Amino acid sequence: MNAVEPSAAAIAEDPITPAASAAPYPGRLREALTALSEACESGNFNASETASFTISDILDTAAGVSGELDDGSDDSQDASRSGASEVLLREVLEFLSRPSSISNQMALDALSLVLPKPVAKLGARMGRCRDVAAAILKFFVTNCNPRDMLSILCEALDAPMELPNGLSSFVLLLDALAKVFTLIQRRHIEQVKVALPVVLKVMHATVSECVEEHGSAAVDLFNAAHGVGKAIQEMCISMFNKNKDLCAILGLYSLQNIALVSRSRQQDILSACGSVVFQSFRFLKTSGFTYRGLLTGSDVTAATVELSKEEDADFMEHFSFAMDGAALSVVWTLMHDDKDMSKYAGEELELAVKEVQGNHMEKWEAINMLKYVLSSIHYPWIIKSHSLNLMLILSGEDHVEEINNHVDFTCFAHRIFETLKAIESVMIAAPMALVRKKAFAALKKVISMVPSSQRFDILHGLVNNSTSPALTAILLDLVRQEVSRESRQADNDCIEDEGFRGNISSKLAKIYSDNRFKRTKICKIVSERDIAQGALGVADPIKTNRGANSVGK
């Protein structure tokens, strides 16, 4: 026993500096592994703990040195370091595979506590390092207590890692975590609630830092997160009568990931991430989510209510993009052609859209759902463009005002105003003229759906809150068009002009009077409108020949 302790201590006291070559690492590692084996055989817990930490330090230092030397190195040097990393990993795997090690639970437990993180870091190297690292982690998962391994892997995931190698390290750890989930026999929800916040934190942090150059590594991370979802799906299916809470968690997790994937900066996000998103649709079906519920957000609300117990408040914060994901799941389906759509969604989406179009309350809910995507600066323009396509589809028929006049609009007023502001942000910021024109069409369409009794209030708010002169001119021109349209409506319906026009004039005067700083340009509304629409690329196809003087009257 006494002979063991000095051996482990001597290794621990002999530091490995970044300047050290890779050659001594295998020898030092073998010494530490031997010390661990002897300590466990003699039952010396302190010595085994010292030896296991020494092994971890050797692997961690080797990974750190290899990472520091990456910058500016050529391919031959990368291959050399990859080979050295593979040698170290194989030493560990060979030690674990010995019959004496397999039967020595103390050694396995000691190594499982400290090795997942450095093994994952070394596994991020080139060559066969990843396969060997994955085999080591799988060995721990298979031969150690699943609940203990879940905590250990979550701790490793929670540790900071630098990109781009950190992406591959996270993939290894997430793959191992997915395997742990499949081995858990009881208290499934409790274990899932421990792990998912860590997984989503990793996803959020890495997506924020990823750039186009990380390409395939980022997609590997999304696939690994999908693997975690698949393990939870297997839990749901295996449980008798499907646990509602677990299914709700799976649904929200899927939507959160769809939103995070949609934020990734991929050169071609459709081809790079499309398969990952569509695989998540299977989870949504397992969770009982439908396209109609996704369009209106009702499924997200139902799942949130199911889980929103007092003790789950912190847990629910990790699904902050679930509403985004609900809208995006529909947008992603529409972004692909009919063949892809029929493959993944069949006729379900088409039927859901028709049902929502036929229910005016649900139609407003669906239109308002898209504000989450349009107002965010994190989603690419191609996704926002297809979101506008969906909004125009949902708007449906041209003549909806008569029906909407019989709908209680009060509960929608604030949200529709936010949606219109989101559309405005696309009109102003979109770099492509086609997207700006599409946003302008959506703006006019949605405004036309607002009941006439409240349309001027909405326009008043938009003008009053506009900070863009170009946008203000366009909005004021919309006001003028509304006045002209309602005047013609009054003439056609043989309504007494004086009372009607007096009401309209007072509303128009209110908009102007509340925006005194803009009134000096009102007499130039036609020219300003033309300039503004040209600047925003949303030239109005409707020809108008009204003079500037008629606007101020």
Side-chain angles (χ1 to χ4, degrees), residues 323-461:
M323 280 294 186
D324 299 43
L328 287 163
S329 62
V330 181
V331 172
W332 270 97
T333 305
L334 290 177
M335 283 197 293
H336 285 254
D337 58 31
D338 292 339
K339 181 180 178 181
D340 284 330
M341 202 170 123
S342 62
K343 178 181 178 182
Y344 292 102
E347 299 177 354
E348 185 181 347
L349 176 58
E350 184 179 355
L351 178 62
V353 169
K354 288 181 179 178
E355 289 175 342
V356 170
Q357 286 176 325
N359 184 312
H360 300 287
M361 300 291 282
E362 289 190 356
K363 182 188 290 188
W364 276 119
E365 292 285 2
I367 288 173
N368 288 331
M369 281 287 291
L370 294 170
K371 74 180 179 217
Y372 297 108
V373 179
L374 298 176
S375 63
S376 174
I377 62 172
H378 299 291
Y379 299 114
W381 289 112
I382 186 170
I383 287 181
K384 292 190 177 186
S385 177
H386 284 279
S387 297
L388 291 168
N389 288 344
L390 177 58
M391 183 175 288
L392 290 169
I393 291 172
L394 290 169
S395 301
E397 301 175 2
D398 292 333
H399 304 290
V400 294
E401 179 197 345
E402 292 79 4
I403 302 172
N404 280 337
N405 278 332
H406 301 287
V407 175
D408 182 8
F409 187 73
T410 307
C411 59
F412 294 107
H414 178 69
R415 282 181 289 166
I416 200 65
F417 181 79
E418 291 179 342
T419 301
L420 290 169
K421 293 299 291 182
I423 298 172
E424 285 182 356
S425 69
V426 178
M427 287 175 59
I428 294 173
M432 296 83 71
L434 180 61
V435 177
R436 295 195 296 271
K437 290 177 181 178
K438 196 181 296 183
F440 181 50
L443 182 78
K444 292 197 299 182
K445 187 71 173 178
V446 174
I447 288 175
S448 72
M449 293 174 60
V450 177
S452 58
S453 60
Q454 293 178 291
R455 193 176 304 143
F456 277 96
D457 292 334
I458 289 289
L459 285 168
H460 182 195

Side-chain angles (χ1 to χ4, degrees), residues 37-115:
S37 180
E38 293 173 353
C40 291
E41 287 174 4
S42 63
N44 190 327
F45 177 78
N46 291 333
S48 67
E49 185 178 45
T50 301
S52 64
F53 277 112
T54 301
I55 294 167
S56 175
D57 289 342
I58 292 171
L59 297 181
D60 194 55
T61 303
V65 171
S66 183
E68 288 176 6
L69 297 176
D70 272 350
D71 295 336
S73 60
D74 56 32
D75 292 342
S76 62
Q77 291 174 321
D78 284 342
S80 175
R81 280 191 295 280
S82 176
S85 298
E86 185 180 339
V87 168
L88 295 176
L89 291 169
R90 288 195 179 279
E91 285 286 347
V92 174
L93 183 59
E94 182 182 345
F95 174 83
L96 293 172
S97 302
R98 295 172 190 166
S100 59
S101 298
I102 295 174
S103 61
N104 193 333
Q105 194 63 43
M106 182 187 290
L108 292 181
D109 290 342
L111 291 177
S112 68
L113 283 170
V114 296
L115 286 196

Side-chain angles (χ1 to χ4, degrees), residues 187-194 239 243 245-246 249:
R187 307 182 80 170
H188 299 85
I189 295 178
E190 178 182 320
Q191 304 306 316
V192 168
K193 286 183 177 180
V194 169
M239 295 176 72
N243 185 284
D245 284 1
L246 193 58
I249 290 172

